[in-house]
Amino acid sequence: MNFDPTSTKPNPPERSDSSSASSVDNSDIHQPIPIRPRLPNRKSSGTLIVPRDSSQVGPLEPDLEPDDVRAMSPRRTSEDIEVMGREAREELHKHARALQDSLLMIFNRIEAVKEEHDKLDNHNKFLQKYIGDLMSTSKITSTARGRK
């Protein structure tokens, strides 16, 4: 490449690794900020308040063709719903009965453990009294022997 000093093409700015860019012309670096186009004005959608007696209130039944997949979905009749409700109640009743039975078994087990505890506590008190009586009689006999 030949360097032509008479060339009309400006030299590209020199780049440096330093943070000061005093030799670089800032007008060449920054482009003008694009302006966002204005949105067109929208018309009001009107009020969303509908009178209670209006036919527009509530779910509307769609008019489905016989070939429409949504029309072919299985619908439950009131008898089906009643049978399902009865089965659910029976299942809940069985589950509640099983929980009551297990609670009764736990209560009976607690009562048996209480009785066993009371019996062992009474035996423990009896043994403590017996040992205390033996100790007191051994003290009496040991002091009586020491006097002789």
Side-chain angles (χ1 to χ4, degrees), residues 1-72:
M1 290 181 108
N2 294 350
F3 179 68
D4 187 11
T6 60
S7 170
T8 58
K9 210 185 231 187
N11 289 337
E14 294 181 17
R15 297 189 184 243
S16 68
D17 292 335
S18 69
S19 62
S20 69
S22 60
S23 65
V24 177
D25 187 13
N26 286 340
S27 64
D28 291 340
I29 295 173
H30 295 291
Q31 297 294 327
I33 299 173
I35 298 172
R36 174 182 277 180
R38 308 259 299 129
L39 292 175
N41 289 338
R42 295 183 183 173
K43 293 181 181 177
S44 172
S45 61
T47 180
L48 296 177
I49 299 173
V50 179
R52 182 178 287 186
D53 322 355
S54 174
S55 63
Q56 297 175 346
V57 176
L60 301 175
E61 291 293 325
D63 294 329
L64 303 176
E65 298 293 322
D67 300 349
D68 194 346
V69 174
R70 294 174 292 173
M72 295 181 202

Side-chain angles (χ1 to χ4, degrees), residues 8-134:
T8 58
K9 210 185 231 187
N11 289 337
E14 294 181 17
R15 297 189 184 243
S16 68
D17 292 335
S18 69
S19 62
S20 69
S22 60
S23 65
V24 177
D25 187 13
N26 286 340
S27 64
D28 291 340
I29 295 173
H30 295 291
Q31 297 294 327
I33 299 173
I35 298 172
R36 174 182 277 180
R38 308 259 299 129
L39 292 175
N41 289 338
R42 295 183 183 173
K43 293 181 181 177
S44 172
S45 61
T47 180
L48 296 177
I49 299 173
V50 179
R52 182 178 287 186
D53 322 355
S54 174
S55 63
Q56 297 175 346
V57 176
L60 301 175
E61 291 293 325
D63 294 329
L64 303 176
E65 298 293 322
D67 300 349
D68 194 346
V69 174
R70 294 174 292 173
M72 295 181 202
S73 65
R75 304 274 182 191
R76 292 191 173 100
T77 63
S78 59
E79 293 85 23
D80 293 340
I81 293 172
E82 187 177 319
V83 168
M84 288 174 57
R86 191 177 324 115
E87 290 172 353
R89 281 190 297 276
E90 288 173 4
E91 189 66 32
L92 282 174
H93 184 70
K94 287 177 185 177
H95 186 66
R97 190 69 187 146
L99 288 175
Q100 287 175 344
D101 291 343
S102 67
L103 184 62
L104 185 62
M105 287 175 33
I106 291 171
F107 178 76
N108 290 336
R109 178 70 182 135
I110 288 172
E111 288 297 316
V113 168
K114 269 187 184 177
E115 289 174 8
E116 182 71 20
H117 175 266
D118 291 342
K119 186 172 95 173
L120 291 173
D121 192 41
N122 287 336
H123 285 298
N124 192 17
K125 288 178 183 174
F126 172 77
L127 288 174
Q128 285 176 347
K129 185 177 182 299
Y130 179 72
I131 291 172
D133 290 344
L134 283 177

